[in-house]
Amino acid sequence: MKRLLAIAFSSMALAGFADAFTVTDVSARQRWPWNGLVDVDFTIAGASVADLFKVEVEAAYDGGTKKLYARTYLEEPLRGPGFNRITWDLAADYPELKVDDLQVAVTVTPLSRASLDAQNVYMVIDLSSGPNSTRYPVRYTTTAPTLVPTNDLVACAADPNRTTKLWLKRVKANTFPFGGTNSNSGEGDFKVSLSPYYIGVFELTQKQWALVMDTWPSVFSNDIYRAARPVSNINNDEIIGHNNWPENRVMADGSYVAKMRARTGLATFSLPTEAQWECASRAGSAVTTQISKSTGRCADYVSTSGVNTYNEGPEVGTALVGSYNANAWGLYDMFGNVMEMCLDAHDTVDNLKTLYGWNAETREPIQDPIGPGVNATARYHATRGGSYGNSAGFCASHRRDYNSRSETGTKRASIGFRVAVSPEWN
Amino acid sequence: MPRLCFTFVAALCATAISALADEPVTAWAAEAIAVDAAEELHVAVGTATLRCNPDWCTGGTNVSGAVAVLKVVSDPGSAQATTSAVPLSVSTGEFNVPYSGTGYLRFILSAEKEGAAIGSLVLGDVSFGIKSAFTASAAYDGRTNALQEIANAWGATTLRYDFLWGENATSATVSRICVRHAKNGDLIDVTTNQLNSVDSPPMLGEVPHSMQNLPWGEYRLLLREFTADGSLAFEQLSPEYSLPHVFGTYMIIR
């Protein structure tokens, strides 16, 4: 009987399609009468961040007797939960069409999680409408961003994929060893399992901060390059607005995360937890990954001619994002550039094991840990990945650090962050 | 007991199947829309007072009972574009609409009779308070016959125009309007300098247009066309352009 039950449960898990969902609030509008673009708005409700949908548009006119099928879209027709817009190039498909009673429909088909796991999936948030905008459009694609190479520094600093567009990559469900040491390859301090989530392809840049917050807080402010350098010199108050995660999961009005949530509709947009950061850093490797050597400074290992390698002179400091090699999952600058702040607080391994109920005998992975909040033993926010100024030993996936100034809200020129969109927290 | 377990497993599976929802879902919009995929490009706009006439819509000329409908598109060229009717936008003859917009706007003039569209659309782009972009080369848009400004910022060149739009126009003036000084960025009283006047067709004209002795600032160009009795037949205002301290820069205003 146990076997039968096990088969039943595993069948459910393997099926791996989206939860029950609905499609509501469909409306259509021709964008401009002279170019034939039709915006179709709709909402997908009841789905998880882990889900993705293929969208098709059809239409009918003459009382429904004549049918049209969209073949040309402005963007890849993939969409996620929440408010969505897909733009149909009507003029490309039906160049002479002129009717007064066009009924438009969308058909939304969930993609299996297995198929999503088998390919690269990106979420792209368009910030170009700036700090006064009420909505940043979100789209999805299976094509990686095309990047301006960092050997053309001025062009790289204006690269829209580093400035006006915020790219996140989907990370499939994963089990990995958390923490540990260089020598305990494959073991870690304990095991963690994560549900699918999205994490920034780059560290958040100064332009991507300014387009939301309308401020340029970073110390490294040379205005020729600053747009594509990572934002830093910001504190937790500005990022999430309070120091009370995870008890308070509503980010305070006016904070970066609160504004992004309101303008994207992504209710779990935030920073990665420490576990999510480490999973992304390991990129599927059980053995800790690290910058190539264990001597010198992180910034000695910039892979390309980033503007601000750690040399003497006025340009000491951060490099343009993407100056350090991408890891196996295509995530840049996981080691070096700025130290990356995480959502949760830093605590000792023993305290984390107690908090999560780690069983040393069964070694069952801990599912989706969201970390401790700031408390008597976990006083500071966790940071990961090392910065331009750290020794290379900081630049390793297992290495756990913290921002010792986070308690007071003091800022550091060497600490920034990357963003994440998590599954719904329980 | 085994039967109970089987029932439990079956119930689990049924729950799973209904919750998986891997079937496509189709939903229709509640309201039908009108679409027109055919491209129509014309330009005809006024100044701060928009002037409209159904006669300007080709095919709508001299149609008894035709009315003009004016709409404004905010933020054209983006997904946030919205179209709305301008208040007091329907008239059986030429009419003026006070309008002070912000940003980059596009106007749509159409002619209708008894609720049905007649003729072709007339479209116009106007920017309020936005500097036009500079470009490395100059060009003339012959499709639209729009007011074009082709100016070497520090050398003499010509302004070309066409008063195709002015029905029965026999003369035209081209004026340069200084919108503000760039020195302090503050608005000043608008000053207008008439550059040239042209009498009688041919329609295509050229105006010598030196900008060499002008101060820094934001400028616009105004084309006005008049009928033989001196009444205004048509007017068109260019977007703002900047006169910068950059040698040899060319600019184009569409």
Side-chain angles (χ1 to χ4, degrees):
Chain A
M1 189 59 220
K2 281 183 180 175
R3 184 185 174 114
L4 190 58
L5 278 172
I7 291 171
F9 280 116
S10 64
S11 299
M12 290 162 61
L14 285 174
F17 281 98
D19 295 333
F21 66 96
T22 58
V23 179
T24 60
D25 302 328
V26 180
S27 65
R29 183 170 58 92
Q30 183 170 9
R31 196 181 284 185
W32 314 288
W34 54 94
N35 70 8
L37 292 175
V38 175
D39 288 323
V40 183
D41 294 345
F42 58 99
T43 299
I44 300 174
S48 158
V49 164
D51 299 324
L52 207 58
F53 302 84
K54 179 186 176 187
V55 180
E56 296 166 288
V57 174
E58 63 183 293
Y61 64 99
D62 266 4
T65 60
K66 296 179 178 172
K67 289 286 186 76
L68 306 175
Y69 297 95
R71 298 183 301 277
T72 309
Y73 302 100
L74 281 196
E75 297 156 344
E76 205 168 346
L78 295 175
R79 294 296 183 268
F83 169 81
N84 285 284
R85 169 171 291 173
I86 190 166
T87 303
W88 173 22
D89 192 344
L90 177 71
D93 291 344
Y94 300 95
E96 300 301 325
L97 184 73
K98 183 175 182 180
V99 298
D100 293 327
D101 65 336
L102 193 72
Q103 287 279 356
V104 178
V106 291
T107 298
V108 173
T109 305
L111 301 173
S112 75
R113 292 182 184 169
S115 73
L116 294 176
D117 291 348
Q119 57 190 328
N120 294 320
V121 176
Y122 296 89
M123 174 192 294
V124 188
I125 302 173
D126 185 352
L127 304 172
S128 58
S129 51
N132 296 321
S133 177
T134 56
R135 176 168 289 162
Y136 298 138
V138 180
R139 67 180 176 90
Y140 298 82
T141 178
T142 53
T143 304
T146 303
L147 300 177
V148 175
T150 50
N151 57 11
D152 185 346
L153 297 177
V154 175
C156 181
D159 183 357
N161 289 328
R162 291 173 163 97
T163 53
T164 57
K165 294 180 173 59
L166 181 55
W167 284 77
L168 296 87
K169 188 172 187 191
R170 183 181 186 272
V171 176
K172 64 183 179 182
N174 220 282
T175 299
F176 65 99
F178 179 91
T181 65
N182 264 335
S183 58
N184 70 347
S185 52
E187 291 299 318
D189 291 315
F190 49 83
K191 282 191 164 49
V192 166
S193 286
L194 295 180
S195 302
Y197 65 102
Y198 289 85
I199 191 165
V201 172
F202 301 109
E203 292 160 337
L204 192 80
T205 63
Q206 295 184 34
K207 180 74 171 182
Q208 289 164 344
W209 176 275
L211 284 171
V212 178
M213 303 295 280
D214 207 15
T215 61
W216 295 83
S218 301
V219 171
F220 306 112
S221 56
N222 180 324
D223 59 10
I224 299 173
Y225 308 115
R226 67 180 183 179
R229 297 172 87 169
V231 70
S232 62
N233 203 38
I234 29 86
N235 63 21
N236 204 50
D237 285 344
E238 293 163 308
I239 301 172
I240 68 172
H242 61 72
N243 219 13
N244 198 26
W245 172 268
E247 284 73 22
N248 182 2
R249 299 177 192 182
V250 178
M251 306 316 186
D253 286 347
S255 66
Y256 182 85
V257 169
K259 288 184 177 182
M260 287 297 291
R261 288 182 177 184
R263 295 171 190 179
T264 61
L266 297 166
T268 56
F269 181 98
S270 195
L271 280 64
T273 63
E274 196 181 359
Q276 287 172 331
W277 189 96
E278 181 166 339
C279 175
S281 166
R282 287 177 178 270
S285 171
V287 181
T288 188
T289 58
Q290 59 188 327
I291 216 157
S292 57
K293 296 179 182 177
S294 58
T295 59
R297 291 182 180 276
C298 293
D300 295 337
Y301 302 103
V302 163
S303 61
T304 55
S305 56
V307 65
N308 298 310
T309 56
Y310 198 79
N311 298 320
E312 296 302 320
E315 289 300 336
V316 66
T318 55
L320 304 185
V321 297
S323 294
Y324 295 78
N325 276 335
N327 68 12
W329 286 352
L331 305 173
Y332 291 83
D333 307 331
M334 293 301 293
F335 303 133
N337 225 359
V338 286
M339 184 84 90
E340 297 178 20
M341 194 150 75
C342 298
L343 185 57
D344 37 350
H346 173 90
D347 209 340
T348 65
V349 169
D350 286 343
N351 285 344
L352 289 184
K353 286 178 176 177
T354 302
L355 175 69
Y356 298 142
W358 167 250
N359 187 325
E361 292 183 3
T362 64
R363 302 186 66 77
E364 282 294 312
I366 297 160
Q367 184 67 44
D368 291 322
I370 57 176
V374 174
N375 58 46
T377 61
R379 293 172 58 196
Y380 308 118
H381 275 271
T383 55
R384 291 297 198 104
S387 76
Y388 61 88
N390 289 129
S391 64
F394 282 72
C395 300
S397 55
H398 72 279
R399 172 78 185 228
R400 305 182 62 233
D401 295 289
Y402 55 86
N403 176 12
S404 62
R405 294 183 179 178
S406 62
E407 188 178 43
T408 60
T410 307
K411 305 165 184 180
R412 285 184 186 273
S414 59
I415 294 182
F417 67 99
R418 75 178 64 216
V419 301
V421 177
S422 300
E424 290 70 18
W425 290 295
N426 293 318
Chain B
M1 183 61 190
R3 183 184 177 86
L4 189 60
C5 285
F6 179 79
T7 305
F8 173 62
V9 171
L12 270 179
C13 292
T15 302
I17 291 166
S18 63
L20 292 177
D22 56 338
E23 295 297 319
V25 172
T26 299
W28 288 82
E31 295 182 5
I33 60 171
V35 294
D36 183 355
E39 184 182 40
E40 298 285 353
L41 275 175
H42 300 286
V43 175
V45 296
T47 57
T49 298
L50 305 173
R51 188 180 298 275
C52 304
N53 192 319
D55 282 359
W56 295 352
C57 301
T58 306
T61 306
N62 296 324
V63 176
S64 175
V67 297
V69 178
L70 184 67
K71 294 180 179 178
V72 60
V73 183
S74 302
D75 204 11
S78 80
Q80 286 77 43
T82 55
T83 303
S84 58
V86 174
L88 305 174
S89 61
V90 178
S91 170
T92 55
E94 189 168 309
F95 66 104
N96 294 330
V97 179
Y99 194 86
S100 56
T102 58
Y104 177 46
L105 304 172
R106 179 162 288 174
F107 295 89
I108 307 168
L109 176 66
S110 61
E112 294 181 1
K113 184 179 181 182
E114 296 172 353
I118 55 174
S120 56
L121 297 174
V122 175
L123 309 177
D125 293 340
V126 171
S127 64
F128 292 88
I130 295 178
K131 298 175 186 176
S132 60
F134 294 106
T135 179
S137 62
Y140 179 76
D141 189 347
R143 292 179 310 165
T144 62
N145 291 310
L147 179 64
Q148 297 293 309
E149 194 273 336
I150 306 170
N152 180 327
W154 293 96
T157 181
T158 57
L159 168 71
R160 286 187 282 179
Y161 63 91
D162 186 331
F163 46 108
L164 175 72
W165 300 105
E167 288 281 340
N168 304 316
T170 58
S171 64
T173 63
V174 179
S175 303
R176 179 179 56 234
I177 301 170
C178 180
V179 179
R180 67 178 66 84
H181 285 305
K183 192 172 182 179
N184 53 19
D186 293 331
L187 282 169
I188 61 168
D189 291 339
V190 170
T191 58
T192 302
N193 296 309
Q194 186 168 308
L195 297 178
N196 197 21
S197 63
V198 183
D199 291 322
S200 72
M203 297 295 187
L204 187 65
E206 286 192 349
V207 178
H209 184 219
S210 171
M211 303 177 72
Q212 207 152 15
N213 297 316
L214 295 175
W216 283 19
E218 269 81 44
Y219 295 86
R220 309 179 83 166
L221 295 172
L222 174 66
L223 169 67
R224 287 185 160 186
E225 299 175 1
F226 301 89
T227 58
D229 64 3
S231 60
L232 185 66
F234 177 71
E235 65 182 10
Q236 186 178 51
L237 188 68
S238 80
E240 287 183 21
Y241 63 97
S242 295
L243 183 62
H245 254 313
V246 179
F247 286 86
T249 300
Y250 286 81
M251 65 187 85
I252 175 173
I253 298 171
R254 290 184 182 279

